[in-house]
Amino acid sequence: MKLLFRSDEDGRQVRVIERRWDGARLYYEDGALYTHVDAEGANLLRYITEMDRALEDTKNVLLLGTAGGALATQLSRRGARVTTVDNWSMTFEIARRWFRLPPQVECVHADAMQFLRSTSRRWDAIAVDVFRGVEIPESMLASDIGALLTQVLTPGGLIVWNVADSPQSWPTQWISKALRLAGYETRLVSVLEDDAGNTLVVSRQTPAPNGETETALGPEVAKTPVA
């Protein structure tokens, strides 16, 4: 193994490593593997493959969370317009230098929630892959997250949210319920990688029978686990 980059700034430990025998590169943050690509920058993590598959019919995609940019690269290489948002500006340099992030991918340095609250743009799909270590930041689980995502989606848009946990876990169930309350049909895609589990919450917007949708969780839902 060859260490290409390390950083211990901003309360995070980031390591970029290259395997000498095949040129594959890996991005670790706080001990968690976020990105794994081959020498040409093609993704090697199954959960990224499944996110890409879920997004295969979309042409204009917003990514919240970047790391090494493997998903952004996959989407861009097949012709999608990609905007990726991250609150750590160094991640864009890492993704371009070490992981072959295409130059046409738009990179925005911003907090994901602040970006959702401030932008007036819209996308066909949103992929959410925001973590500190393997935990989703509490700020991403705000009671109005469904409304915030809805306001930046085109009608009938798609959300693919990665959770580093099982389908039965509290975060997965919370996110699924939050999106259902905001007017989405949701399905859970379980992904296993070397005995570690990820779940994708795949959600598409559908109109409610009365033509309206709920766009926020009530406080009792926001504060308590979903059975």
Side-chain angles (χ1 to χ4, degrees), residues 60-62 116 121-127 146-160 179 184 203-205:
N60 185 23
V61 186
L62 172 65
L116 291 175
R121 297 167 60 185
R122 288 186 173 236
W123 290 265
D124 300 335
I126 304 172
L148 292 174
L149 293 170
T150 297
Q151 72 184 13
V152 302
L153 273 178
T154 56
L158 178 70
I159 298 169
V160 181
L179 294 177
Y184 293 81
S203 307
R204 188 170 293 277
Q205 193 175 27

Side-chain angles (χ1 to χ4, degrees), residues 46-59 61 63 71 74-75 78 124-128 156-162 187-191 199-204:
R46 187 179 165 207
Y47 88 87
I48 294 291
T49 297
E50 293 299 329
M51 293 184 80
D52 184 31
R53 181 176 290 120
L55 294 161
E56 64 183 353
D57 294 326
T58 57
K59 302 299 183 183
V61 186
L63 307 186
L71 180 57
Q74 294 290 104
L75 294 169
R78 68 161 170 78
D124 300 335
I126 304 172
V128 185
L158 178 70
I159 298 169
V160 181
W161 192 321
N162 177 43
R187 62 185 176 92
L188 304 182
V189 179
S190 181
V191 183
T199 303
L200 306 183
V201 183
V202 181
S203 307
R204 188 170 293 277

Side-chain angles (χ1 to χ4, degrees), residues 167-216:
Q168 296 77 29
S169 69
W170 180 83
T172 301
Q173 291 296 313
W174 192 97
I175 291 164
S176 180
K177 185 166 187 177
L179 294 177
R180 291 198 307 272
L181 287 173
Y184 293 81
E185 290 184 352
T186 67
R187 62 185 176 92
L188 304 182
V189 179
S190 181
V191 183
L192 289 177
E193 187 83 29
D194 296 330
D195 296 325
N198 285 64
T199 303
L200 306 183
V201 183
V202 181
S203 307
R204 188 170 293 277
Q205 193 175 27
T206 56
N210 62 359
E212 299 180 354
T213 60
E214 294 183 65
T215 56

